[in-house]
Amino acid sequence: MNNKKRSSIVIGVIILTVLLVWGFIGSSEVAKIGTTCDSGINNEGNVLCWKWHRNVVGDIQDRLNEILDK
């Protein structure tokens, strides 16, 4: 194997690893109440979730935490 092909394989493996780790981080975030998966594997993002956001329940929870912390 030449160096160019080997380096492209290494870069591909690094990118796939980063995507996999980010998907696991997202799935753990979606497991919390108040977070919804926007883009991932499975309907709820249980397996892997790459993009997530706080939903209405999460916004209410954040506001209550701000009030109670003051």
Side-chain angles (χ1 to χ4, degrees):
M1 255 185 6
N2 58 16
N3 286 338
K4 188 174 183 178
K5 190 172 184 178
R6 182 176 296 160
S7 65
S8 64
I9 290 173
V10 169
I11 291 172
V13 168
I14 290 171
I15 290 172
L16 287 175
T17 303
V18 167
L19 286 174
L20 185 66
V21 169
W22 187 254
F24 283 130
I25 291 170
S27 66
S28 68
E29 286 294 316
V30 170
K32 299 175 185 174
I33 295 175
T35 309
T36 302
C37 182
D38 297 328
S39 175
I41 296 177
N42 198 351
N43 291 337
E44 295 88 26
N46 294 345
V47 179
L48 294 172
C49 182
W50 291 282
K51 185 175 184 257
W52 60 91
H53 72 277
R54 296 290 280 174
N55 56 25
V56 175
V57 175
D59 290 338
I60 293 170
Q61 183 181 22
D62 291 341
R63 288 190 183 123
L64 285 175
N65 286 339
E66 287 176 7
I67 292 170
L68 295 176
D69 286 341
K70 288 184 180 180

